[in-house]
Amino acid sequence: MAKIIDGKAIAAKVRAEVAEGVRALREQRGIVPGLATILVGNDPGSQVYVRGKHRACKKVGITSFDHRPEPSVTQSELIHLVERLNGDPEVHGVLVQLPLPSHLDAELILDRVRPEKDVDGFHPMNAGRLLTGRAGLRSCTPMGIMRLLSEMKVELEGKRALVIGRSNIVGKPMALLLLEQNATVTIAHSRTRDLPDRVAEADVLVAAVGRPEFVKGEWVKEGAVVIDVGINRCDDGLVGDVAYEAAARRALAITPVPGGVGPMTIATLLSNTLWAARA
Ligand SMILES: NC(=O)c1ccc[n+]([C@@H]2O[C@H](COP(=O)([O-])OP(=O)(O)OC[C@H]3O[C@@H](n4cnc5c(N)ncnc54)[C@H](OP(=O)(O)O)[C@@H]3O)[C@@H](O)[C@H]2O)c1
């Protein structure tokens, strides 16, 4: 059976490092990192996520600011709020919780977040920095996965990595981060042919599809490292994108759902906020 990659434990380690970094920044430079979140509308999932982010900030000594404009907020009012936070010296990270209600243009609003405060790493400037191998704020989920891989001492150089999914939030930045570590990277998506064959070749597999148990255990290469990003709500609770039981019989190491990638995303948001405050 595969080793289980304990995202909860590794996330706790990251949070402890962030707490220490926050303490040092406060003592040495008198700076307290601050994260502002903007939540529009009543999406229950988003409310849970935002609450979790504030709770996590508090535990590591990051000040958090909770902005909840009326659901009827206009595009220009929201941009005005983003601009105000861009200029606020107590705010080092600005996070616009997605999805936004349909009358708002999410792309246009995210583009207004100052790249230096874009702790989600979604701004085209930060995406471009990642693409060109320069320092910048990077998307939290893929960064969290890189930390899982490094904690598990997974050697990436020269290895075949397959990322299933090409979203701007997960799949694409994930592929670039693996490439940066000298893996040979393939990106699969809904038009990919022969997906089981591609999976069978992968030493490292990252599944970010959003379909319950989409990747079958029999597809997985013996001895592969399997990272399951999927969070799918089903009758029997949360299920990943990989058929866990069967995949765990073949893999060397695998992330569970829940308790694998999920906890790393918020932990990385905290470390991005600290990074932004230091910068
Ligand atoms: N753990 C966490 O912290 C975390 C964070 C973010 C997301 N997630 C979860 O990760 C999953 C993916 O998120 P996302 O935002 O990247 O989703 P997304 O934007 O919906 O992207 C899904 C990707 O999967 C691809 N896909 C769909 N059907 C496919 C098929 N039959 N074969 C191969 N590829 C297929 C799509 O291809 P096309 O581009 O061709 O349509 C797309 O690129 C979701 O379950 C989400 O809840 C978890």
Side-chain angles (χ1 to χ4, degrees):
M1 284 295 278
K3 254 188 275 179
I4 295 168
I5 304 176
D6 187 348
K8 274 193 202 161
I10 298 170
K13 187 173 170 184
V14 172
R15 286 197 302 271
E17 289 167 9
V18 173
E20 175 53 29
V22 167
R23 194 190 55 75
L25 191 64
R26 197 183 51 231
E27 283 176 14
Q28 290 158 18
R29 291 166 58 193
I31 296 169
V32 179
L35 172 70
T37 63
I38 302 176
L39 172 61
V40 188
N42 305 313
D43 180 66
S46 296
Q47 288 176 346
V48 171
Y49 284 134
V50 168
R51 209 179 310 132
K53 288 167 188 177
H54 286 275
R55 211 181 296 134
C57 281
K58 197 165 181 207
K59 282 192 190 150
V60 298
I62 292 175
T63 307
S64 65
F65 306 91
D66 192 356
H67 294 272
R68 299 191 181 210
E70 288 298 312
S72 58
V73 66
T74 65
Q75 181 99 342
S76 62
E77 285 166 341
L78 199 54
I79 288 175
H80 189 259
L81 173 59
V82 169
E83 296 289 3
R84 187 157 65 72
L85 297 170
N86 280 343
D88 184 338
E90 285 183 30
V91 172
H92 305 96
V94 178
L95 181 154
V96 182
Q97 185 66 41
L98 299 177
L100 286 173
S102 57
H103 70 281
L104 299 166
D105 182 341
E107 206 166 83
L108 206 134
I109 288 159
L110 290 176
D111 284 2
R112 298 299 281 265
V113 175
R114 231 176 104 182
E116 294 83 356
K117 296 193 177 191
D118 166 42
V119 282
D120 261 336
F122 294 166
H123 193 283
M125 177 75 85
N126 286 318
R129 286 183 165 275
L130 171 60
L131 183 72
T132 51
R134 293 189 233 178
L137 287 159
R138 292 167 167 196
S139 185
C140 296
T141 301
M143 281 294 281
I145 292 170
M146 294 310 284
R147 180 67 187 260
L148 289 179
L149 293 172
S150 93
E151 288 286 330
M152 298 303 288
K153 304 204 171 8
V154 176
E155 182 57 61
L156 292 169
E157 185 158 327
K159 294 289 172 63
R160 287 190 188 178
L162 175 69
V163 180
I164 314 179
R166 55 173 164 180
S167 68
N168 291 331
I169 294 172
V170 187
K172 281 185 211 161
M174 186 74 245
L176 290 167
L177 288 167
L178 290 164
L179 179 65
E180 193 174 67
Q181 294 304 313
N182 300 313
T184 302
V185 182
T186 303
I187 305 176
H189 45 76
S190 65
R191 319 293 162 81
T192 297
R193 294 194 192 131
D194 307 325
L195 184 64
D197 294 342
R198 300 288 79 72
V199 173
E201 293 165 349
D203 302 305
V204 177
L205 169 68
V206 181
V209 188
R211 293 178 174 218
E213 303 192 334
F214 171 75
V215 176
K216 304 301 165 216
E218 308 79 68
W219 300 355
V220 172
K221 182 178 176 179
E222 293 275 354
V225 174
V226 177
I227 304 291
D228 191 347
V229 187
I231 302 179
N232 307 292
R233 279 170 219 287
C234 296
D235 292 342
D236 28 346
L238 290 186
V239 175
D241 288 345
V242 178
Y244 180 85
E245 294 297 334
R249 282 196 284 276
R250 298 172 70 88
L252 179 71
I254 188 166
T255 56
V257 176
V261 174
M264 294 304 290
T265 299
I266 290 193
T268 308
L269 173 68
L270 301 174
S271 80
N272 275 357
T273 304
L274 173 61
W275 194 91
R278 279 191 184 129

